[in-house]
Amino acid sequence: MGNPVLVDADTVRGTAAEAWIWGLPLLENYRTLYAQAVDDADPRYTGGFGVFRHYPHPAAQDDTDAAASDHDTPYSWAWLDLRAEPWVLEVPATDRYHVLPVHDLDTCYVGFVGSRTTGGRAGRHLIAGPGHHGTPAEGFDGVLRADTELVGIVGRTHLAGPDDVDALEQVQAGYRLRPLSADRGTAPPPPAPDPVWPVWREEVLDSLEFFSFLDFLLGFFPMLPADADLRRRLAELGIGTGDFEQAALPLEIRDAMVHGIADAHAQLTAKATDSHDSTGLFGTRAQLGTDHLGRAIGVSTGLYGLPAEEAWYTAWVSTDESGPGEETGEPLDGSAHAYVLRFPPGGRPPARYFWSVAVYGLPERLPVDNPIDRYAVGDRTPGLVEDEGGALTLHLRRDRPEDPQEQANWLPVPPGPFTVLLRVYGPEPTVLDGRWQRPPLTVRP
């Protein structure tokens, strides 16, 4: 590493805190990229770059790469290295809800191919990196131009139920990737050099090694004007040069950076409890702007969440009832209570596509095994029973209800802490502007 231009410790502390918040999405994304595209000994390995790995079954059974994974839309994972040349994404014609979102290395979305944006027709879409922005768009139905040289795809395709798996697999098989040269039948360009991928370890996020990983990842992320000031300050510490060495920094500077990480954690924790829904947490670079803290909250609570216009999310970690003098209800715990979620007549989530309510155990936010293999309930769940008057009451409890109507509307919960997540795919304007309000989650009397 060259000799960095060192500044005072207080300034470094502030820069480290800002950089940790800004860089957290890159490292959280790299955690998945490393397992899926680099480490061929990992069971989650997709086959490397440029191939899809499809999960045709509900996420509860197969796919645990994303916390709070979606039971209604099994995933199709892929990673692309855009350094040598662009790639072509092909999709089949289908009336089934689907979305293939392409995200940059920092999880900002580049664009979307799917029911909402491109419809149900077959299509060919070019995905180009920052070194190929001049590639002609002729012959393609759309062009997605990335800001980073590595991008990911977390496709979702609707699954109607266990009997629908074969039909879903046929749609997923129609998602195809190929390099532009193969698509055109021309000689491929020289391959990009193979990086020395740093081995992912969970403790990286809370140590100065965070900045070593950030230094590596910035090698795939050309500087954007909005990030120029922070990138300049990081470069003064040797971060973003490609050969950052924390041991070369004076002890007081390293201590300041450690305190900066702690400051960033505190900011994230304090802000993460301000909102109950996903509005503004996920989106394109233009949508998210310079709200780096909001983006960090998004990746820490729901990595690869979709923008609200595609899918709107709201979560409960406590009841909506409060005791005397309390500001919030009790944390949800299946060993302590049974719960009720009641949608009043005419009050179900207004969705263009579908909605569902799912349960996840805490702290991992993963599905929990239950005796009826039911992990979510929604508008496409067969056999739900309305109350007299048209309301829909869901019963969230550990043990099977005795009443037949409650059994029909039973969503099992684990014998311990859990969270409840409502997803609305294709939310109507009344959801996005707040006119529709989620119902309260209460303890069963």
Side-chain angles (χ1 to χ4, degrees):
M1 181 178 82
N3 293 323
V5 180
L6 297 181
V7 288
D8 66 277
D10 288 341
T11 301
V12 169
R13 179 172 177 169
T15 296
E18 183 181 351
W20 193 92
I21 293 290
W22 178 80
L24 181 64
L26 282 93
L27 270 77
E28 290 284 7
N29 189 42
Y30 182 73
R31 178 212 307 259
T32 308
L33 182 156
Y34 184 81
Q36 292 191 347
V38 178
D39 184 3
D40 59 5
D42 194 295
R44 296 166 292 176
Y45 185 64
T46 63
F49 289 91
V51 294
F52 271 114
R53 179 173 179 178
H54 304 295
Y55 289 87
H57 297 281
Q61 298 177 22
D62 284 334
D63 185 3
T64 58
D65 279 299
S69 51
D70 193 342
H71 312 283
D72 306 292
T73 57
Y75 292 159
S76 296
W77 295 88
W79 298 90
L80 300 177
D81 184 342
L82 304 175
R83 289 177 296 164
E85 62 177 319
W87 281 71
V88 177
L89 167 65
E90 289 188 359
V91 296
T94 180
D95 294 331
R96 182 185 300 263
Y97 173 79
H98 64 288
V99 58
L100 286 90
V102 179
H103 65 265
D104 269 327
L105 198 53
D106 62 349
T107 72
C108 287
Y109 283 109
V110 178
F112 307 84
V113 175
S115 301
R116 179 181 65 88
T117 53
T118 57
R121 62 188 179 276
R124 289 163 31 84
H125 302 267
L126 184 71
I127 305 173
H132 301 275
H133 277 189
T135 303
E138 289 81 6
F140 296 100
D141 297 287
V143 180
L144 290 74
R145 301 197 180 276
D147 288 322
T148 63
E149 294 173 327
L150 304 178
V151 301
I153 301 173
V154 189
R156 282 95 157 163
T157 311
H158 184 257
L159 175 68
D163 296 335
D164 189 40
V165 169
D166 289 346
L168 168 67
E169 287 183 309
Q170 292 180 26
V171 175
Q172 290 178 324
Y175 302 151
R176 297 188 178 96
L177 292 164
R178 63 168 60 91
L180 179 60
S181 58
D183 184 77
R184 289 178 170 173
T186 59
D194 192 19
V196 179
W197 303 98
V199 177
W200 177 260
R201 300 186 317 284
E202 293 302 314
E203 58 268 25
V204 165
L205 291 176
D206 297 316
S207 72
L208 284 182
E209 260 199 296
F210 178 97
F211 297 105
S212 297
F213 276 70
L214 183 61
D215 176 61
F216 170 78
L217 293 171
L218 291 182
F220 304 94
F221 195 167
M223 187 184 302
L224 300 175
D227 304 328
D229 178 64
L230 177 60
R231 296 283 294 263
R232 175 190 57 78
R233 286 181 280 132
L234 287 173
E236 291 178 349
L237 297 168
I239 302 167
T241 62
D243 58 356
F244 171 71
E245 295 177 14
Q246 56 176 290
L249 297 173
L251 180 59
E252 63 270 22
I253 296 299
R254 282 179 274 160
D255 287 344
M257 294 172 73
V258 170
H259 284 100
I261 292 174
D263 295 342
H265 271 290
Q267 292 177 41
L268 189 63
T269 301
K271 187 69 174 176
T273 58
D274 285 355
S275 177
H276 291 300
D277 66 62
S278 62
T279 304
L281 297 183
F282 311 103
T284 64
R285 198 172 302 283
Q287 287 175 313
L288 296 178
T290 57
D291 183 12
H292 303 141
L293 183 56
R295 189 175 64 197
I297 292 170
V299 301
S300 62
T301 57
L303 186 61
Y304 310 123
L306 293 167
E309 63 270 19
E310 185 77 43
W312 182 87
Y313 317 99
T314 185
W316 292 264
V317 293
S318 61
T319 63
D320 292 307
E321 299 173 323
S322 299
E326 294 179 347
E327 295 182 0
T328 60
E330 295 182 27
L332 303 179
D333 190 329
S335 64
H337 297 290
Y339 302 89
V340 171
L341 185 63
R342 180 179 184 272
F343 296 96
R348 298 178 202 184
R352 178 181 173 188
Y353 301 115
F354 57 89
W355 62 267
S356 70
V357 176
V359 166
Y360 303 93
L362 294 176
E364 295 85 2
R365 290 185 292 132
L366 293 174
V368 179
D369 290 340
N370 64 80
I372 59 172
D373 289 330
R374 177 181 277 185
Y375 303 92
V377 169
D379 59 345
R380 302 189 181 191
T381 302
L384 295 181
V385 180
E386 292 183 349
D387 302 342
E388 188 175 345
L392 178 65
T393 302
L394 304 183
H395 297 273
L396 290 77
R397 53 187 292 171
R398 180 181 57 180
D399 301 321
R400 184 189 301 269
E402 295 182 2
D403 180 82
Q405 180 170 332
E406 293 186 8
Q407 283 186 30
N409 297 359
W410 177 34
L411 183 56
V413 304
F418 68 94
T419 184
V420 177
L421 182 61
L422 167 63
R423 292 181 174 91
V424 184
Y425 273 87
E428 298 290 356
T430 53
V431 176
L432 298 177
D433 64 19
R435 283 177 288 164
W436 181 85
Q437 293 289 309
R438 72 180 196 177
L441 179 65
T442 59
V443 173
R444 176 186 169 86

